[in-house]
Amino acid sequence: DVKVTQSSRYLVKRTGEKVFLECVQDMDHENMFWYRQDPGLGLRLIYFSYDVKMKEKGDIPEGYSVSREKKERFSLILESASTNQTSMYLCASNVGGRRDEQFFGPGTRLTVL
Amino acid sequence: RKEVEQDPGPFNVPEGATVAFNCTYSNSASQSFFWYRQDCRKEPKLLMSVYSSGNEDGRFTAQLNRASQYISLLIRDSKLSDSATYLCVVNDASGTYKYIFGTGTRLKVLA
């Protein structure tokens, strides 16, 4: 079974802190994605990566950066956390084709105080 | 207009009922379509892909109407365990591997 894991289920941070969210997949997938999910807005793509060290901005990249140094690991970084970044963060991965299923991690619920 | 639109519901139906959801998409060049299921406080999981000819998986049937730019999901003989949020997902046709998610339709199957 494909497994996507995220470093924390719940995280509480203070405004201005630098926050790292880690995602690891164990199926040698090419593509990895970071989304945030908010009520009434659905899942919105922050960044995705189609190869090691390669990344593309999604719909809402402002205030975020990403790192993919190894194929299995995709990190989301909040440079200076703000209260409007309080959300559920979901990582996903897939093999590489447009028809391919995305496999999601369990999510990290981040609260910024 | 949103890129992918769904009726948020909730759809409250009795066990055994048949229920259908629609989802409209704005980009006529979209190529791939999916239904995901998301249980409360859980991650989304693929329910089924949607093919041009329509496809069925047990009690679930998915249809694609390219002319009217919508996809549908039909659930027959609803079970309590079908209670969840159903997300419509459309691939971005710009050439990148980007997926657009609808906000989801909530289904509650009642005993």
Side-chain angles (χ1 to χ4, degrees), chain B residues 10-31:
Chain B
F11 284 59
N12 296 321
V13 302
E15 266 188 296
T18 295
V19 61
F21 312 134
N22 279 346
C23 164
T24 59
Y25 61 95
S26 61
N27 189 339
S28 60
S30 298
Q31 294 296 317

Side-chain angles (χ1 to χ4, degrees), chain B residues 21-52:
Chain B
F21 312 134
N22 279 346
C23 164
T24 59
Y25 61 95
S26 61
N27 189 339
S28 60
S30 298
Q31 294 296 317
S32 303
F33 309 89
F34 310 86
W35 284 102
Y36 278 71
R37 171 193 169 127
Q38 186 172 26
D39 293 301
C40 189
R41 301 185 188 281
K42 298 281 193 178
E43 72 272 21
K45 292 185 179 179
L46 181 69
L47 179 66
M48 56 200 305
S49 300
V50 186
Y51 302 120
S52 296

Side-chain angles (χ1 to χ4, degrees), chain A residues 31 33 35 37 40-43 45 56 59 94 96-102 104-106, chain B residues 2 31-32 34 36 38 41 43-44 46 49 87 91-92 95-99 101-103:
Chain A
N31 298 336
F33 307 79
Y35 296 91
Q37 185 173 28
L41 296 176
L43 275 81
L45 181 65
E56 283 203 25
D59 297 316
N94 71 1
R98 283 196 194 83
R99 296 190 182 277
D100 290 333
E101 173 182 2
Q102 289 185 79
F104 284 85
Chain B
K2 285 185 181 177
Q31 294 296 317
S32 303
F34 310 86
Y36 278 71
Q38 186 172 26
R41 301 185 188 281
E43 72 272 21
L46 181 69
S49 300
L87 306 176
N91 107 289
D92 181 275
T96 61
Y97 296 104
K98 184 179 157 187
Y99 300 82
F101 284 74
T103 53

Side-chain angles (χ1 to χ4, degrees), chain A residues 14-25:
Chain A
R14 297 209 173 271
T15 301
E17 281 192 79
K18 191 168 186 175
V19 182
F20 293 87
L21 302 182
E22 304 284 338
C23 174
V24 178
Q25 50 92 5

